[in-house]
Amino acid sequence: MASDEKSAAAFRTIGEVAAATGVAPHVLRYWEERFPQLRPVTRAGNRRYYRPADIALIERIAALLDGEGYTIRGVQQLLARERPSGRRASATAAARSEPADAATPTPSMTKHAPGELQGEAATLARVRVVRDWIAAALRDD
């Protein structure tokens, strides 16, 4: 390892995180306002230092927003439900459960209702169903 490289456990500045993740610094600061789970350590002069867990969360948020079509609100709801010690997550899980026939997505569910999804496995299953639905529609042409 070169002397100018940091270890995997080292804290990173906002510029380093932006370069590593492809998320602009102003977007990272905005996400800090929107996602309470994203709280970098701040030191003198309000300099932000991101832990490896913060960077993993940033990468996940970016993947959900850009790759899977979630909205900010959808990601907020997903992360809030996953909070391990949150009272809300366990108390409202039963109230938010979907009916059995909700496993087959409609076009309106694919992009605008990701906050209703029940975990990554369900998301993947829905994406596969939509992909198959689109492939079948294209074959019919």
Side-chain angles (χ1 to χ4, degrees), residues 16-95:
E16 291 170 329
V17 172
T21 63
V23 179
H26 72 276
V27 175
L28 292 171
R29 288 189 288 275
Y30 174 74
W31 286 358
E32 289 172 25
E33 295 174 7
R34 297 290 171 228
F35 301 105
Q37 300 86 349
L38 182 58
R39 290 290 171 242
V41 176
T42 54
R43 297 282 162 90
N46 263 351
R47 286 189 53 102
R48 293 165 169 80
Y49 291 95
Y50 294 86
R51 298 170 289 250
D54 295 323
I55 297 169
L57 179 60
I58 290 166
E59 290 170 341
R60 182 157 185 240
I61 291 170
L64 290 169
L65 290 171
D66 299 332
E68 296 189 33
Y70 277 73
T71 62
I72 294 280
R73 184 175 173 104
V75 175
Q76 288 171 334
Q77 291 173 350
L78 178 69
L79 294 176
R81 276 196 307 258
E82 292 175 353
R83 190 174 344 149
S85 63
R87 286 176 275 146
R88 255 185 54 207
S90 60
T92 60

